[in-house]
Amino acid sequence: MKIKTSAILAVLILTIYCAFSQIINIERVNPPFWWVGMKNSSLEILFKAKNIQDYNIKVIGKDITLEKLVKSDNHDYIILKILIGPNAKAGKFQIYFNKGIVNLFYNYELKDRIINTTAQQGLNSSDFVYLLIPDRFSNGDTVNDKIAGMHDSIFSRDSLFSRHGGDLQGVINHLDYFKELGATALWLTPFFETNQPFASYHGYAITDHYKVDPRLGDNQLYADFVKKSHDAGIKVIMDMVFNHIGNEHWIYKDKPFKNWFHSFDKFTKTNFRDVTLMDPYVSEADKIKYTTGWFDKHMPDLNQQDTLLATFLIQNTIWWLEYAGIDGIRLDTYPYPDQKFMSDWTKAILSEYPKLGLFGETWVSGLANQAFYTKNSGLKNKYNPQLPGVTDFQLFYAINNALTKDFGWTDGVSAIYYCLANDFLYENAYNNAIFLDNHDQSRFYSVVGEDIDKYKMGIAILLTMRGIPVNYYGTEILMKNFGSPDEKLREDFSGGWKNDKSNKFLKNGRTEKENEAFTYLAKLANYRKNNTVLQDGKLMQFIPENGVYVYFRYNENKTIMVIVNQNKSSQTIETSRFAEIIKGYKKAKNIMTDETLEKLDTITVGAKTVMVLELIK
Ligand code: CA
C-alpha cells in the first residue's frame, strides 16, 4: 500500500514536472517588464510558450486587472491586456497559469519610473546632431566582434557589406570628440538586434525589438551610453523603424498573427511613391502597392492597421524611452507605414513624453509633399499628423543646388531662397532636421567636387540656417565618396580601430586640409552652441542678386548677417536694401576670421565664401 502511494506520487510528480517543463519554457515576454505611473494605464503583454493557449490564466496583484485575454491564430501565443490601477505598486505581480493539476506562477515586474518627463530637455533647434553608424565608427570592444551562433558571421573590414566590429563602447570612448566638435546630440542608426544573414550592420532590418544587437553591446550598455552621454552634455536620439522588420525576426518566423504582415502570392515591392498618399488623381492599385508592398525582399512589411501590432510597436517605443532616458527619435521611412498609425503613435508617445524630440525621415520630392507629414500643416492629410519635424530633404536639395549650379531665377542660391519661402507650409520649420549628406546620400565633400571653399560654404549655411543641423560622421574630416552601393558612404572612421593607419580623432592624425575643415566646423558649431540667435533666432531673407544671397538671424540680443557669395569672384554689395534690419548697426565681427568690419555701407565678400557677421552697434 505504501509502495503504491509512492508510485502514484511519483507518477503525479512526473506528470506535473512534464507539464511544468512545457509551460516553464516561456520563450518570450514582450515587454519584459513595465512601470507603474504611466499616463496610459493599460498594458498588453505578449507571451510565447508551447501550447500556451491550453492554460487557464489569472492575474494576481494589487490593483492589477486582467481586462482581456487575446488568443492568437498561433497556439503558442497569448496577449494579456492588463490594467494597472492607480494603487498598483512597483514590484512583481503574478500571472497564474493553470491546466488540470499544473499550476505555474510567472512573476511580472513593474518598476518605479525613473524618467522625470517634465525635466526632459527633448531635442530642438538648439541642438547640433552627429549621425553615425555604430558598426562603422569605432571598435571599442573586440570581444563582441563575432558572436557564436549569429548570422552574418563573416567579419571582414574589407567587405563593404560585412560587419566591421564598431560598437557602443566605441561611441562611448569618443564622447570628448563630439564635444570638441560642438555636437550636442548623437543619432545612431538602429541598435536593435539585426540577426540577418547579409548586410545586417546598418540595423534597419530589426529581428528583436527588445534587444540591443550583441555585436554592438547589450541593453545595459545602451542605458549606460545614454547616461554617460547625458553626463557629457550630449543628448541621444534613437532611430526606429515602423514600416518593416527583418525576415529573421521571431514575430515573422513564427507569426503570432498572420495579419501582422502584408503578404502576397509572389514577392511584391513597394513602388516607393509616397505621392500616392496625396495625389488627387491617384490610382487605387498604385496606392495599395505603395503602402503594402515590401521595402525589400528581406524586409516584411508590417500591417500597423492591426491594433495589437500597433500597440506592440507603441509599447516598444515607450519601453526604450523609459528604460534608457532617450531625448529624441528619428523615425525611419516615415511616409511608408499606415499614416493613421503614425499619427496615433506620435500622440501616444508625446502624451507620455511631451518634450521628446521627433523627426521623421521624408525622402520625398516636393515642398508641399514633405510638409504634408508634419503637424498642423493645413494640408489635406486626413490623419492629422502630429509629427513636429521632418528630415528636410528639400533644403538638402536646395543647398546642393546652390553649391553646384549656376545662379539663376530659381537655381544656385535662389534655390535656398525659394525653399525657405515655402516654410509657410509648416507649423514650425525649426523642428526640421537639416543636413548636407547622410548615410543614404553621396558624401558632401565629393558632391562639391572636393572644393574646400564650397565645403565651408555648405557648413556655414548648415550651422546658420533654421532647423536642427545634422552632421554625418566623417563629413568633418572630409570623408568622400559617391553612393551605389550605399555602403561606399559608410566607410570606417579612420582611427576607430586600434591598428588604423591614421587616427582622425586627433589633430595630429589629420591632414592639414582635414584640420582646416574640422576647425572651421567646430568653431562655428561652438559659436552656435553659445549663441541662441543661431538656434531659435528669427530669420529674414532677401532676394538673391547676382549670385549673392543674404539672410539674417536675429533675436532681442543679437543680429547675425549671413552673406552667401556663390560666384567665382569676390563681390561688393551695397547694404542699403537691408536697412530694415541693419539700421542702428555700425560695425560687424566676422565670426570665422575674428576680423572687425569698421563700416557696413558696403561689404566685400570673397569668391565662393559665406561670411557670418555678428553685427555691432
Ligand atoms: Ca566590437
PDB file of all heavy atoms in Angstrom, residues 141 144 167-170 172 212 214 216-228 323:
ATOM      1  N   ASP A 141      35.296  47.335 -28.372  1.00  0.00           N
ATOM      2  CA  ASP A 141      35.312  46.047 -27.682  1.00  0.00           C
ATOM      3  C   ASP A 141      35.424  44.931 -28.721  1.00  0.00           C
ATOM      4  O   ASP A 141      34.457  44.599 -29.400  1.00  0.00           O
ATOM      5  CB  ASP A 141      34.003  45.914 -26.875  1.00  0.00           C
ATOM      6  CG  ASP A 141      33.898  44.580 -26.154  1.00  0.00           C
ATOM      7  OD1 ASP A 141      34.864  43.785 -26.193  1.00  0.00           O
ATOM      8  OD2 ASP A 141      32.834  44.332 -25.550  1.00  0.00           O
ATOM      9  N   ASN A 144      33.188  41.409 -28.750  1.00  0.00           N
ATOM     10  CA  ASN A 144      31.854  41.246 -29.348  1.00  0.00           C
ATOM     11  C   ASN A 144      31.866  41.263 -30.880  1.00  0.00           C
ATOM     12  O   ASN A 144      30.813  41.275 -31.511  1.00  0.00           O
ATOM     13  CB  ASN A 144      30.887  42.308 -28.804  1.00  0.00           C
ATOM     14  CG  ASN A 144      31.324  43.726 -29.180  1.00  0.00           C
ATOM     15  OD1 ASN A 144      32.089  43.925 -30.134  1.00  0.00           O
ATOM     16  ND2 ASN A 144      30.833  44.710 -28.447  1.00  0.00           N
ATOM     17  N   ASP A 167      31.064  49.486 -32.286  1.00  0.00           N
ATOM     18  CA  ASP A 167      30.073  49.167 -31.252  1.00  0.00           C
ATOM     19  C   ASP A 167      29.793  50.367 -30.343  1.00  0.00           C
ATOM     20  O   ASP A 167      30.374  51.445 -30.512  1.00  0.00           O
ATOM     21  CB  ASP A 167      30.543  47.958 -30.439  1.00  0.00           C
ATOM     22  CG  ASP A 167      32.001  48.085 -30.015  1.00  0.00           C
ATOM     23  OD1 ASP A 167      32.420  49.213 -29.692  1.00  0.00           O
ATOM     24  OD2 ASP A 167      32.722  47.062 -30.026  1.00  0.00           O
ATOM     25  N   LEU A 168      28.911  50.144 -29.382  1.00  0.00           N
ATOM     26  CA  LEU A 168      28.522  51.225 -28.464  1.00  0.00           C
ATOM     27  C   LEU A 168      29.707  51.712 -27.631  1.00  0.00           C
ATOM     28  O   LEU A 168      29.853  52.906 -27.380  1.00  0.00           O
ATOM     29  CB  LEU A 168      27.406  50.747 -27.516  1.00  0.00           C
ATOM     30  CG  LEU A 168      26.030  50.523 -28.146  1.00  0.00           C
ATOM     31  CD1 LEU A 168      25.091  49.886 -27.134  1.00  0.00           C
ATOM     32  CD2 LEU A 168      25.453  51.851 -28.654  1.00  0.00           C
ATOM     33  N   GLN A 169      30.570  50.763 -27.230  1.00  0.00           N
ATOM     34  CA  GLN A 169      31.730  51.166 -26.440  1.00  0.00           C
ATOM     35  C   GLN A 169      32.605  52.133 -27.249  1.00  0.00           C
ATOM     36  O   GLN A 169      33.166  53.086 -26.712  1.00  0.00           O
ATOM     37  CB  GLN A 169      32.533  49.931 -26.006  1.00  0.00           C
ATOM     38  CG  GLN A 169      33.618  50.239 -24.990  1.00  0.00           C
ATOM     39  CD  GLN A 169      33.086  50.918 -23.725  1.00  0.00           C
ATOM     40  OE1 GLN A 169      32.131  50.440 -23.112  1.00  0.00           O
ATOM     41  NE2 GLN A 169      33.674  52.051 -23.349  1.00  0.00           N
ATOM     42  N   GLY A 170      32.690  51.882 -28.552  1.00  0.00           N
ATOM     43  CA  GLY A 170      33.457  52.760 -29.433  1.00  0.00           C
ATOM     44  C   GLY A 170      32.889  54.174 -29.445  1.00  0.00           C
ATOM     45  O   GLY A 170      33.637  55.161 -29.517  1.00  0.00           O
ATOM     46  N   ILE A 172      31.033  55.470 -26.927  1.00  0.00           N
ATOM     47  CA  ILE A 172      31.273  55.998 -25.576  1.00  0.00           C
ATOM     48  C   ILE A 172      32.707  56.533 -25.461  1.00  0.00           C
ATOM     49  O   ILE A 172      32.938  57.593 -24.869  1.00  0.00           O
ATOM     50  CB  ILE A 172      31.032  54.897 -24.508  1.00  0.00           C
ATOM     51  CG1 ILE A 172      29.555  54.492 -24.481  1.00  0.00           C
ATOM     52  CG2 ILE A 172      31.483  55.349 -23.118  1.00  0.00           C
ATOM     53  CD1 ILE A 172      29.242  53.247 -23.671  1.00  0.00           C
ATOM     54  N   VAL A 212      19.367  44.963 -27.724  1.00  0.00           N
ATOM     55  CA  VAL A 212      20.483  45.584 -28.443  1.00  0.00           C
ATOM     56  C   VAL A 212      21.248  44.479 -29.163  1.00  0.00           C
ATOM     57  O   VAL A 212      21.437  43.388 -28.614  1.00  0.00           O
ATOM     58  CB  VAL A 212      21.401  46.330 -27.445  1.00  0.00           C
ATOM     59  CG1 VAL A 212      22.733  46.698 -28.093  1.00  0.00           C
ATOM     60  CG2 VAL A 212      20.719  47.581 -26.910  1.00  0.00           C
ATOM     61  N   PRO A 214      23.975  42.113 -30.046  1.00  0.00           N
ATOM     62  CA  PRO A 214      25.149  41.750 -29.220  1.00  0.00           C
ATOM     63  C   PRO A 214      26.474  42.200 -29.826  1.00  0.00           C
ATOM     64  O   PRO A 214      27.453  42.344 -29.100  1.00  0.00           O
ATOM     65  CB  PRO A 214      25.099  40.227 -29.162  1.00  0.00           C
ATOM     66  CG  PRO A 214      23.755  39.833 -29.620  1.00  0.00           C
ATOM     67  CD  PRO A 214      23.195  40.938 -30.458  1.00  0.00           C
ATOM     68  N   LEU A 216      26.931  45.074 -30.915  1.00  0.00           N
ATOM     69  CA  LEU A 216      27.083  46.477 -30.505  1.00  0.00           C
ATOM     70  C   LEU A 216      27.222  46.618 -28.990  1.00  0.00           C
ATOM     71  O   LEU A 216      27.740  47.620 -28.499  1.00  0.00           O
ATOM     72  CB  LEU A 216      25.879  47.298 -30.972  1.00  0.00           C
ATOM     73  CG  LEU A 216      25.602  47.327 -32.480  1.00  0.00           C
ATOM     74  CD1 LEU A 216      24.375  48.177 -32.771  1.00  0.00           C
ATOM     75  CD2 LEU A 216      26.800  47.857 -33.250  1.00  0.00           C
ATOM     76  N   GLY A 217      26.723  45.627 -28.260  1.00  0.00           N
ATOM     77  CA  GLY A 217      26.745  45.697 -26.796  1.00  0.00           C
ATOM     78  C   GLY A 217      25.527  44.986 -26.253  1.00  0.00           C
ATOM     79  O   GLY A 217      25.034  44.040 -26.868  1.00  0.00           O
ATOM     80  N   ASP A 218      25.011  45.454 -25.140  1.00  0.00           N
ATOM     81  CA  ASP A 218      23.757  44.893 -24.638  1.00  0.00           C
ATOM     82  C   ASP A 218      22.880  46.024 -24.100  1.00  0.00           C
ATOM     83  O   ASP A 218      23.279  47.189 -24.126  1.00  0.00           O
ATOM     84  CB  ASP A 218      24.002  43.797 -23.589  1.00  0.00           C
ATOM     85  CG  ASP A 218      24.793  44.310 -22.384  1.00  0.00           C
ATOM     86  OD1 ASP A 218      24.797  45.542 -22.139  1.00  0.00           O
ATOM     87  OD2 ASP A 218      25.423  43.487 -21.700  1.00  0.00           O
ATOM     88  N   ASN A 219      21.689  45.657 -23.636  1.00  0.00           N
ATOM     89  CA  ASN A 219      20.735  46.679 -23.202  1.00  0.00           C
ATOM     90  C   ASN A 219      21.325  47.564 -22.104  1.00  0.00           C
ATOM     91  O   ASN A 219      21.161  48.783 -22.116  1.00  0.00           O
ATOM     92  CB  ASN A 219      19.442  46.024 -22.701  1.00  0.00           C
ATOM     93  CG  ASN A 219      18.651  45.406 -23.842  1.00  0.00           C
ATOM     94  OD1 ASN A 219      19.153  45.302 -24.972  1.00  0.00           O
ATOM     95  ND2 ASN A 219      17.426  44.980 -23.563  1.00  0.00           N
ATOM     96  N   GLN A 220      22.001  46.933 -21.161  1.00  0.00           N
ATOM     97  CA  GLN A 220      22.579  47.693 -20.049  1.00  0.00           C
ATOM     98  C   GLN A 220      23.624  48.692 -20.565  1.00  0.00           C
ATOM     99  O   GLN A 220      23.668  49.844 -20.134  1.00  0.00           O
ATOM    100  CB  GLN A 220      23.208  46.730 -19.031  1.00  0.00           C
ATOM    101  CG  GLN A 220      23.754  47.426 -17.794  1.00  0.00           C
ATOM    102  CD  GLN A 220      22.691  48.237 -17.041  1.00  0.00           C
ATOM    103  OE1 GLN A 220      21.623  47.714 -16.722  1.00  0.00           O
ATOM    104  NE2 GLN A 220      22.959  49.521 -16.776  1.00  0.00           N
ATOM    105  N   LEU A 221      24.423  48.255 -21.524  1.00  0.00           N
ATOM    106  CA  LEU A 221      25.452  49.149 -22.066  1.00  0.00           C
ATOM    107  C   LEU A 221      24.801  50.332 -22.801  1.00  0.00           C
ATOM    108  O   LEU A 221      25.296  51.457 -22.744  1.00  0.00           O
ATOM    109  CB  LEU A 221      26.392  48.391 -23.013  1.00  0.00           C
ATOM    110  CG  LEU A 221      27.576  49.220 -23.535  1.00  0.00           C
ATOM    111  CD1 LEU A 221      28.528  49.585 -22.395  1.00  0.00           C
ATOM    112  CD2 LEU A 221      28.350  48.474 -24.627  1.00  0.00           C
ATOM    113  N   TYR A 222      23.677  50.059 -23.456  1.00  0.00           N
ATOM    114  CA  TYR A 222      22.981  51.153 -24.136  1.00  0.00           C
ATOM    115  C   TYR A 222      22.493  52.192 -23.108  1.00  0.00           C
ATOM    116  O   TYR A 222      22.658  53.402 -23.303  1.00  0.00           O
ATOM    117  CB  TYR A 222      21.812  50.640 -24.988  1.00  0.00           C
ATOM    118  CG  TYR A 222      21.149  51.773 -25.740  1.00  0.00           C
ATOM    119  CD1 TYR A 222      21.761  52.335 -26.848  1.00  0.00           C
ATOM    120  CD2 TYR A 222      19.951  52.322 -25.294  1.00  0.00           C
ATOM    121  CE1 TYR A 222      21.195  53.409 -27.514  1.00  0.00           C
ATOM    122  CE2 TYR A 222      19.374  53.399 -25.954  1.00  0.00           C
ATOM    123  CZ  TYR A 222      20.000  53.934 -27.063  1.00  0.00           C
ATOM    124  OH  TYR A 222      19.436  55.010 -27.705  1.00  0.00           O
ATOM    125  N   ALA A 223      21.903  51.688 -22.021  1.00  0.00           N
ATOM    126  CA  ALA A 223      21.441  52.606 -20.966  1.00  0.00           C
ATOM    127  C   ALA A 223      22.635  53.383 -20.388  1.00  0.00           C
ATOM    128  O   ALA A 223      22.540  54.588 -20.141  1.00  0.00           O
ATOM    129  CB  ALA A 223      20.720  51.827 -19.869  1.00  0.00           C
ATOM    130  N   ASP A 224      23.759  52.687 -20.225  1.00  0.00           N
ATOM    131  CA  ASP A 224      24.973  53.354 -19.715  1.00  0.00           C
ATOM    132  C   ASP A 224      25.459  54.417 -20.701  1.00  0.00           C
ATOM    133  O   ASP A 224      25.908  55.498 -20.300  1.00  0.00           O
ATOM    134  CB  ASP A 224      26.110  52.343 -19.506  1.00  0.00           C
ATOM    135  CG  ASP A 224      25.820  51.382 -18.369  1.00  0.00           C
ATOM    136  OD1 ASP A 224      24.882  51.648 -17.592  1.00  0.00           O
ATOM    137  OD2 ASP A 224      26.527  50.362 -18.276  1.00  0.00           O
ATOM    138  N   PHE A 225      25.378  54.082 -21.974  1.00  0.00           N
ATOM    139  CA  PHE A 225      25.794  55.022 -23.032  1.00  0.00           C
ATOM    140  C   PHE A 225      24.957  56.308 -22.965  1.00  0.00           C
ATOM    141  O   PHE A 225      25.496  57.419 -23.029  1.00  0.00           O
ATOM    142  CB  PHE A 225      25.664  54.330 -24.400  1.00  0.00           C
ATOM    143  CG  PHE A 225      25.445  55.256 -25.553  1.00  0.00           C
ATOM    144  CD1 PHE A 225      26.426  56.171 -25.939  1.00  0.00           C
ATOM    145  CD2 PHE A 225      24.250  55.224 -26.270  1.00  0.00           C
ATOM    146  CE1 PHE A 225      26.213  57.033 -26.998  1.00  0.00           C
ATOM    147  CE2 PHE A 225      24.036  56.081 -27.331  1.00  0.00           C
ATOM    148  CZ  PHE A 225      25.015  56.997 -27.696  1.00  0.00           C
ATOM    149  N   VAL A 226      23.654  56.145 -22.788  1.00  0.00           N
ATOM    150  CA  VAL A 226      22.785  57.331 -22.707  1.00  0.00           C
ATOM    151  C   VAL A 226      23.163  58.153 -21.472  1.00  0.00           C
ATOM    152  O   VAL A 226      23.313  59.377 -21.551  1.00  0.00           O
ATOM    153  CB  VAL A 226      21.290  56.933 -22.671  1.00  0.00           C
ATOM    154  CG1 VAL A 226      20.409  58.168 -22.513  1.00  0.00           C
ATOM    155  CG2 VAL A 226      20.900  56.177 -23.943  1.00  0.00           C
ATOM    156  N   LYS A 227      23.369  57.465 -20.364  1.00  0.00           N
ATOM    157  CA  LYS A 227      23.716  58.144 -19.112  1.00  0.00           C
ATOM    158  C   LYS A 227      25.046  58.901 -19.265  1.00  0.00           C
ATOM    159  O   LYS A 227      25.159  60.073 -18.891  1.00  0.00           O
ATOM    160  CB  LYS A 227      23.787  57.078 -18.005  1.00  0.00           C
ATOM    161  CG  LYS A 227      24.405  57.496 -16.696  1.00  0.00           C
ATOM    162  CD  LYS A 227      23.325  57.874 -15.691  1.00  0.00           C
ATOM    163  CE  LYS A 227      23.833  58.253 -14.324  1.00  0.00           C
ATOM    164  NZ  LYS A 227      24.903  59.232 -14.275  1.00  0.00           N
ATOM    165  N   LYS A 228      26.047  58.227 -19.826  1.00  0.00           N
ATOM    166  CA  LYS A 228      27.359  58.862 -19.989  1.00  0.00           C
ATOM    167  C   LYS A 228      27.287  60.030 -20.977  1.00  0.00           C
ATOM    168  O   LYS A 228      27.963  61.045 -20.800  1.00  0.00           O
ATOM    169  CB  LYS A 228      28.395  57.833 -20.453  1.00  0.00           C
ATOM    170  CG  LYS A 228      28.825  56.936 -19.322  1.00  0.00           C
ATOM    171  CD  LYS A 228      29.772  55.832 -19.768  1.00  0.00           C
ATOM    172  CE  LYS A 228      30.154  54.976 -18.566  1.00  0.00           C
ATOM    173  NZ  LYS A 228      30.792  53.730 -18.924  1.00  0.00           N
ATOM    174  N   TYR A 323      13.264  53.063 -20.296  1.00  0.00           N
ATOM    175  CA  TYR A 323      14.398  52.242 -19.862  1.00  0.00           C
ATOM    176  C   TYR A 323      15.707  53.025 -19.931  1.00  0.00           C
ATOM    177  O   TYR A 323      16.543  52.958 -19.035  1.00  0.00           O
ATOM    178  CB  TYR A 323      14.484  50.983 -20.731  1.00  0.00           C
ATOM    179  CG  TYR A 323      15.719  50.133 -20.483  1.00  0.00           C
ATOM    180  CD1 TYR A 323      15.833  49.374 -19.320  1.00  0.00           C
ATOM    181  CD2 TYR A 323      16.765  50.092 -21.409  1.00  0.00           C
ATOM    182  CE1 TYR A 323      16.958  48.601 -19.076  1.00  0.00           C
ATOM    183  CE2 TYR A 323      17.891  49.321 -21.173  1.00  0.00           C
ATOM    184  CZ  TYR A 323      17.992  48.574 -20.007  1.00  0.00           C
ATOM    185  OH  TYR A 323      19.109  47.823 -19.770  1.00  0.00           O
TER     186      TYR A 323
END
